[in-house]
């Protein structure tokens, strides 16, 4: 699974989205948001200053995480379930954005004034997604197609068609499963085909 470093290809605005999705390791079931230390580390890393507010809003954070996971999985060709879209929309609606212009006329989408902690994080993520959608980078933030992985990664391939976070691990496993399935169905289908010698 990809690690974040100085050569991280993920645009800075999308890193909080990726980091939030990756707080759950689907393969092991380890959820960084489920432990006090993990939640505190996530809160600190993303500027959330009221731990109790974070705990109270944890269900919304988890809904946001899982909705974003579903949306980024859609970038590999798996449609987002309606229920996941509805939950994600509900969380995002509670985090309003404002459009501001600077002296050079540059437009910036930002969290509305007065938002703090979880609503502010949600609004920052919503703004980042909107900016990434307009500059073409949003569709490259993907979730590994492997059902036992679902790790978020940024697809930096020239064609933007990667489906797995790591071709050597998840891609190889998927190709091996497909190969075995073809051999199994071929063995079953070939043995009883009439007219074959």
């Amino acid at each position: 699974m990809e690690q974040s470093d100085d050569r991280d290809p993920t645009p800075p605005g999308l890193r909080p989205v990726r980091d939030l999705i990756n707080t759950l390791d689907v393969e092991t079931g380890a959820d960084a948001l489920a432990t006090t230390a993990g939640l505190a580390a996530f809160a600190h890393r993303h500027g959330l200053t009221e731990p109790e507010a974070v705990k109270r809003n944890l269900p919304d954070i988890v809904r946001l995480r899982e909705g974003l996971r579903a949306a980024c999985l859609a970038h590999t060709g798996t449609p987002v379930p309606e229920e996941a879209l509805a939950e994600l929309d509900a969380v995002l609606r509670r985090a309003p954005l404002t459009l501001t212009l600077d002296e050079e006329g540059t437009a910036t989408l930002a969290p509305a004034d007065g938002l703090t902690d979880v609503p502010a994080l949600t609004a920052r993520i919503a703004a980042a997604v909107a900016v990434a959608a307009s500059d073409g980078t949003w569709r490259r933030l993907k979730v590994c197609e492997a059902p036992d992985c679902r790790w978020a990664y940024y697809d930096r391939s020239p064609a933007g068609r990667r489906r797995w976070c790591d071709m050597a691990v998840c891609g190889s496993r998927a190709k091996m499963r497909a190969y075995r399935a073809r051999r199994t169905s071929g063995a079953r289908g070939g043995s009883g085909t009439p007219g074959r010698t």
Side-chain angles (χ1 to χ4, degrees):
M1 296 184 194
E2 295 193 348
Q3 298 292 319
S4 176
D5 62 24
D6 292 340
R7 295 162 290 153
D8 186 349
T10 308
L14 287 177
R15 290 177 189 170
V17 179
R18 181 204 56 203
D19 291 350
L20 177 59
I21 294 169
N22 290 341
T23 57
L24 174 66
D25 185 332
V26 170
E27 186 173 15
T28 66
D31 186 345
L33 300 180
T35 67
T36 302
L39 190 56
F42 178 81
H44 177 73
R45 195 168 49 250
H46 295 287
L48 307 176
T49 58
E50 299 173 28
E52 286 310 309
V54 175
K55 281 184 187 176
R56 273 195 315 275
N57 290 289
L58 189 56
D60 278 346
I61 296 174
V62 171
R63 278 193 284 277
L64 178 63
R65 176 182 71 191
E66 296 312 314
L68 290 168
R69 184 187 315 280
C72 291
L73 181 59
H75 297 163
T76 64
T78 303
V80 182
E82 278 187 44
E83 184 179 314
L85 276 177
E87 287 198 7
L88 182 57
D89 285 348
V91 172
L92 292 173
R93 260 189 239 109
R94 292 193 296 273
L97 301 173
T98 58
L99 181 69
T100 60
L101 298 170
D102 67 13
E103 62 277 356
E104 295 172 2
T106 303
T108 304
L109 203 53
D113 289 340
L115 294 180
T116 60
D117 286 302
V118 176
L121 172 69
T122 303
R124 282 197 310 269
I125 285 175
V129 169
V131 169
S134 71
D135 71 16
T137 57
W138 170 238
R139 294 204 59 82
R140 285 183 173 259
L141 185 63
K142 299 180 178 182
V143 163
C144 185
E145 196 174 77
D148 57 348
C149 180
R150 300 295 197 232
W151 199 252
Y153 66 95
Y154 188 76
D155 181 357
R156 63 181 178 266
S157 67
R161 293 188 185 148
R162 276 180 57 192
R163 295 175 20 211
W164 303 287
C165 65
D166 186 335
M167 186 58 206
V169 178
C170 294
S172 291
R173 287 179 188 164
K175 289 184 177 198
M176 184 55 73
R177 281 191 293 268
Y179 171 75
R180 286 182 186 141
R182 281 193 307 274
R183 285 197 51 140
T184 301
S185 68
R188 272 189 255 145
S191 61
T193 306
R196 292 277 198 198
T197 56

